[in-house]
Amino acid sequence: MQNKILKKDRIAGFLDHLAASHNLIAPVSEDKAFTVFKKVLSAAEVDLNFTNTLIPPKNYFFPAAEKLFAFSTNGGDIIIEEPQRSEVSVIFGIRPCDIKSLSLLDPVFYGAFPDTYYSSKRENTLLIGLSCREVLPTCFCKAFGTHPTDGVGADLMLTDLGNYYLVEILTAKGSSLLERNTGFFSDETTDSAVLEKELLKDKLSADFIRKPDLSGVKQILDKVFEHPYWGELAAKCIGCGICTFVCPTCHCFNMIDTSRPDASGSRYRCHDSCMFPGFTKMAGGHNPRPTKVERVRNRFMHKLKYHLDRYNLEGCTGCGRCIAKCPVNIDISQIITNIREVVKDD
Amino acid sequence: MNNITQELQKQAKKLLEDQVVQLVIGYGYGSDPFHVTPVFIRNPDHVENLIWNPFCVNNLTKYLTEYKYLPGKIAVVIKGCDSRSINRLIQDNQIERDKIVLLGIPCSGILEVDKIALKTGYRLEIIEFGEQDKEYTLHTSKGSFNFNKKDSLIDKCYHCNNHNPVVFDILLGSKVEENSSTNKYTEIEKLEKLTVEEKSKFWDQYFSRCIRCYACRNVCTACTCQECIFNVAKPSWVERINNLSNNTSFHLIRAFHVAGRCVDCGECDRVCPVNIPLRHLNRKILKDLQELYNAPIPGADNNTVPALGCFVSEDPEEFM
């Protein structure tokens, strides 16, 4: 499809227009250490210079806490209140690793029992991707076959090329959004912009510090369920939930019912973490993952093996959030590299 | 290899070879130049994995309680701030003094990774570090870089009360000069001056972003409960539902629960992924303890009974 150009001086107008016509979700920096995708009402709230957000845009589709329904009684009648249907939304500024994360989550939420809470938002949301300008020291998306300017999965892909953005139209949904907002875009030729984007891609591709090689890793993991290596990793793990809660592909949740004496209440689902001891605790007290060893093993098996077993898709996008935030420097890119050596030593 | 690392490896090797200890908990190289990672050494041939440099930020004493029932003794590497945790763990009967061998390191401050990396980038290896009175020198594969201690350290180190361990068995390196000024609570005084509405606005902004990962609790050496109320589903003391009201309950309960036991090691503040200034809560309580009971920072010595763990008839009782 045809590309467009969005001049830098028109971006604020475009975002303001989007915010007026849609539920606009965009990166907002509350302080230098906390950037998050959230609803914005104007372009002024959006941080266009962000690297990536700490909290992944996954949280729009699958919030940390989401009310599933509420109930109350009126006389003898029970009144069930369901959440409002999702609004038509636009996520602006989603990075390639996070665009990819949604494609890894889709088969989970669209399984035998499609999850309408997720799917209604997913289907009502248009993704405007934004190429990275910088590769962070913790980034390794290239290892998973994507790259910092990869728009696959987005409806529109923007790339900041100095004075303007190259706008690539990737889907019919993206195309129709542009048609409704033609005034902001120029039709000038984009050949040189496409070339510049290629140069940016090459430059960024050379900037990766972490380059783990995934070939054969799944085959190794198929055989090392019982291995002292997991114990070594688990020894340093403090069992917090940071890695799972900042992860763009983690999708486990817990259901919580609340009720009040007046016979009203609600059911929520909340992100849960396989790093927590209670995650697998069963009625009666048995816990099939009783120590950190089983829990740490599960996390890396899920990312690098189980998701592949189930969906033939990787469970990690190489966004590097868990590496940046782990209090004890447990590093999935290092594990991918080390696992080969570990097995060789046996 | 710097002198402290050399001495550390030598002592660790001897402790393991002589079977004085079964395990040495220390710092090892992390996955990038500016991060270290906890290492657990059982074999005397593996002591070369132990290092010391000004990035060794973790308080490793947290791991001790996990090895409470390990046959034999455990050696652990501690800085001054971490050493206060040792006294507290002993006072709370969480670990026996005879169970542990303390490898104390005098530390004049930990470097702030972001500030260092801004100057050096990540594409290098640290070969060695040198320390002078006023600065650290990092000798790297890309040349040497000097960092003035005055503006390159993590925040907590500027107000450090114990650059030297307050308790140790083996001291690695020579003692460093302590801060001349006593513990200052300027940032807390600023917060105290805010109106209730302003305070509420300040904390609401932070508590609302809490992701309830419990890293602050899990890393805390004062958090030693076998079963934490935040893990108990029934009764649900604090709902797991992530919202401002539940998050506020979580943080305030946590802060009060460690009151009088928090040693101000700053680990909760460091590990918080969403940048909640948790140390402000702890230090407000430390300030109150000092003003009300003239209590030192918990763990600063092993003889002072915890302010909230003892009754003295002279205690202020305005609330009675």
Side-chain angles (χ1 to χ4, degrees):
Chain A
M1 276 186 233
Q2 203 199 334
N3 299 326
K4 301 265 182 191
I5 294 292
L6 174 61
K7 296 253 170 65
K8 277 273 172 82
D9 56 4
R10 308 305 305 273
I11 182 87
F14 176 53
L15 288 173
D16 279 336
H17 190 77
L18 280 179
S21 51
H22 296 79
N23 179 40
L24 178 61
I25 312 292
V28 174
S29 291
E30 288 188 11
D31 60 46
K32 76 178 193 323
F34 187 72
T35 312
V36 60
F37 277 93
K38 62 191 234 185
K39 183 181 172 73
V40 295
L41 299 172
S42 78
E45 295 173 54
V46 181
D47 180 3
L48 289 167
N49 296 316
F50 78 117
T51 50
N52 204 357
T53 56
L54 172 72
I55 306 295
K58 165 194 90 176
N59 281 27
Y60 171 69
F61 302 98
F62 173 53
E66 182 170 30
K67 193 193 268 187
L68 304 182
F69 63 82
F71 66 87
S72 55
T73 46
N74 185 5
D77 297 333
I78 298 169
I79 302 152
I80 305 276
E81 181 199 321
E82 290 195 70
Q84 286 188 323
R85 290 196 66 80
S86 64
E87 303 167 74
V88 179
S89 304
V90 171
I91 295 191
F92 173 85
I94 182 169
R95 298 295 189 192
C97 53
D98 292 335
I99 301 172
K100 185 169 180 187
S101 79
L102 297 176
S103 68
L104 306 183
L105 288 171
D106 285 344
V108 178
F109 288 103
Y110 281 93
F113 301 97
D115 183 305
T116 52
Y117 301 95
Y118 177 90
S119 66
S120 67
K121 278 174 272 196
R122 187 80 168 98
E123 282 148 28
N124 262 323
T125 303
L126 190 131
L127 302 178
I128 304 182
L130 186 59
S131 294
C132 303
R133 292 286 302 169
E134 186 186 347
V135 172
L136 298 178
T138 45
C139 289
F140 63 110
C141 68
K142 217 172 105 180
F144 291 98
T146 176
H147 58 80
T149 60
D150 190 353
V152 174
D155 296 293
L156 296 172
M157 188 66 185
L158 268 59
T159 303
D160 181 346
L161 294 168
N163 296 323
Y164 60 90
Y165 295 91
L166 168 67
V167 182
E168 291 163 287
I169 306 162
L170 302 171
T171 65
K173 239 162 113 181
S175 174
S176 82
L177 180 87
L178 281 202
E179 274 161 32
R180 280 177 273 130
N181 295 279
T182 42
F184 297 103
F185 301 90
S186 30
D187 277 325
E188 62 198 79
T189 167
T190 58
D191 293 355
S192 69
V194 170
L195 204 69
E196 262 192 75
K197 183 184 166 179
E198 275 303 305
L199 291 175
L200 176 69
K201 179 188 164 185
D202 292 346
K203 184 202 156 287
L204 293 175
S205 292
D207 278 353
F208 283 91
I209 294 176
R210 284 182 160 76
K211 301 167 193 164
D213 175 10
L214 277 158
S215 60
V217 166
K218 152 119 174 55
Q219 288 71 21
I220 293 169
L221 291 174
D222 285 341
K223 292 181 211 137
V224 294
F225 190 75
E226 300 288 350
H227 198 284
Y229 181 59
W230 303 119
E232 278 171 45
L233 281 177
K236 61 178 83 167
C237 176
I238 61 166
C240 73
I242 293 179
C243 51
T244 54
F245 291 160
V246 299
C247 178
T249 67
C250 271
H251 49 260
C252 290
F253 60 84
N254 195 1
M255 304 278 254
I256 290 162
D257 290 338
T258 63
S259 59
R260 294 184 175 279
D262 66 352
S264 70
S266 52
R267 170 167 292 177
Y268 277 84
R269 70 171 169 194
C270 298
H271 286 185
D272 201 355
S273 171
C274 56
M275 297 290 104
F276 295 160
F279 182 77
T280 43
K281 197 169 175 187
M282 299 176 185
H286 176 63
N287 194 340
R289 293 187 203 136
T291 74
K292 286 191 295 182
V293 180
E294 296 84 15
R295 300 195 279 270
V296 166
R297 173 178 63 198
N298 178 73
R299 173 163 164 79
F300 295 106
M301 284 286 193
H302 200 164
K303 296 296 159 202
L304 305 169
K305 170 176 152 57
Y306 300 153
H307 212 71
L308 281 156
D309 286 339
R310 279 173 211 157
Y311 308 112
N312 200 24
L313 291 165
E314 310 279 1
C316 172
T317 67
C319 76
R321 288 178 173 96
C322 58
I323 303 174
K325 290 295 166 187
C326 178
V328 295
N329 190 241
I330 293 178
D331 179 335
I332 186 169
S333 75
Q334 195 181 38
I335 292 168
I336 294 168
T337 305
N338 284 358
I339 196 86
R340 240 179 242 106
E341 296 302 314
V342 165
V343 175
K344 219 184 273 172
D345 287 347
D346 289 349
Chain B
M1 198 190 301
N2 61 68
N3 293 340
I4 294 179
T5 301
Q6 230 163 27
E7 186 64 14
L8 168 62
Q9 295 183 358
K10 199 178 101 188
Q11 295 287 354
K13 196 176 176 78
K14 192 162 173 353
L15 289 169
L16 287 166
E17 272 176 351
D18 297 350
Q19 297 195 359
V20 176
V21 302
Q22 302 302 310
L23 173 70
V24 179
I25 306 174
Y27 305 97
Y29 285 113
S31 65
D32 73 48
F34 311 120
H35 286 91
V36 297
T37 192
V39 292
F40 300 78
I41 310 286
R42 290 185 163 82
N43 183 336
D45 295 335
H46 293 169
V47 295
E48 73 271 19
N49 293 328
L50 289 165
I51 59 157
W52 168 256
N53 67 29
F55 297 107
C56 294
V57 65
N58 312 51
N59 180 349
L60 301 175
T61 65
K62 177 65 190 179
Y63 295 108
L64 287 176
T65 48
E66 288 184 41
Y67 296 96
K68 216 191 291 200
Y69 303 112
L70 181 88
K73 293 190 187 191
I74 315 151
V76 62
V77 177
I78 52 168
K79 307 182 292 293
C81 45
D82 313 330
S83 69
R84 295 192 296 264
S85 299
I86 296 285
N87 278 337
R88 282 298 311 127
L89 289 169
I90 294 169
Q91 285 184 333
D92 281 354
N93 297 318
Q94 290 299 323
I95 192 90
E96 284 171 34
R97 182 66 183 86
D98 290 344
K99 180 87 192 163
I100 49 180
V101 175
L102 303 170
L103 301 165
I105 297 182
C107 157
S108 44
I110 298 296
L111 289 170
E112 166 102 61
V113 173
D114 289 347
K115 283 182 189 156
I116 308 307
L118 204 63
K119 227 168 149 182
T120 66
Y122 276 84
R123 284 175 188 283
L124 50 82
E125 271 176 55
I126 295 181
I127 298 160
E128 192 45 89
F129 88 94
E131 184 176 353
Q132 300 84 41
D133 242 12
K134 296 213 156 92
E135 55 184 20
Y136 282 116
T137 310
L138 295 183
H139 304 286
T140 76
S141 52
K142 268 173 58 181
S144 295
F145 297 87
N146 288 328
F147 295 97
N148 201 321
K149 287 179 192 166
K150 219 167 57 191
D151 49 23
S152 313
L153 302 182
I154 56 173
D155 205 41
K156 73 167 183 178
C157 298
Y158 291 117
H159 316 283
C160 177
N161 280 271
N162 302 102
H163 283 300
N164 301 292
V166 293
V167 54
F168 59 86
D169 295 305
I170 300 166
L171 194 68
L172 307 162
S174 34
K175 286 199 174 182
V176 295
E177 202 184 324
E178 294 290 358
N179 280 354
S180 48
S181 58
T182 50
N183 200 20
K184 289 216 170 66
Y185 291 101
T186 36
E187 81 286 8
I188 305 301
E189 280 157 11
K190 249 187 248 165
L191 279 175
E192 284 172 338
K193 284 191 191 114
L194 299 179
T195 64
V196 172
E197 287 75 22
E198 287 165 336
K199 279 179 194 158
S200 172
K201 200 177 154 212
F202 178 87
W203 286 109
D204 286 358
Q205 178 210 338
Y206 287 116
F207 290 156
S208 60
R209 58 165 88 152
C210 174
I211 58 173
R212 299 281 286 281
C213 64
Y214 301 130
C216 51
R217 175 196 66 182
N218 289 18
V219 83
C220 178
T221 54
C223 283
T224 49
C225 295
Q226 294 282 312
E227 184 138 35
C228 173
I229 65 154
F230 304 118
N231 285 2
V232 176
K234 274 186 185 164
S236 177
W237 301 104
V238 176
E239 296 278 359
R240 184 63 189 79
I241 298 163
N242 187 319
N243 60 28
L244 177 60
S245 139
N246 290 325
N247 297 353
T248 304
S249 300
F250 164 60
H251 284 291
L252 296 186
I253 292 172
R254 199 193 73 81
F256 277 112
H257 195 192
V258 300
R261 305 187 298 119
C262 163
V263 301
D264 197 21
C265 72
E267 281 287 82
C268 51
D269 210 273
R270 172 182 76 89
V271 302
C272 179
V274 295
N275 206 28
I276 303 173
L278 292 166
R279 246 179 110 225
H280 288 347
L281 291 176
N282 300 332
R283 282 171 61 77
K284 163 65 181 155
I285 295 171
L286 286 170
K287 179 171 179 284
D288 288 351
L289 286 171
Q290 192 189 57
E291 287 167 1
L292 290 169
Y293 307 111
N294 198 22
I297 294 189
D301 68 75
N302 204 18
N303 307 320
T304 313
V305 199
L308 301 181
C310 70
F311 176 76
V312 180
S313 54
E314 291 82 41
D315 279 349
E317 288 179 344
E318 293 96 345
F319 55 88
M320 295 287 271

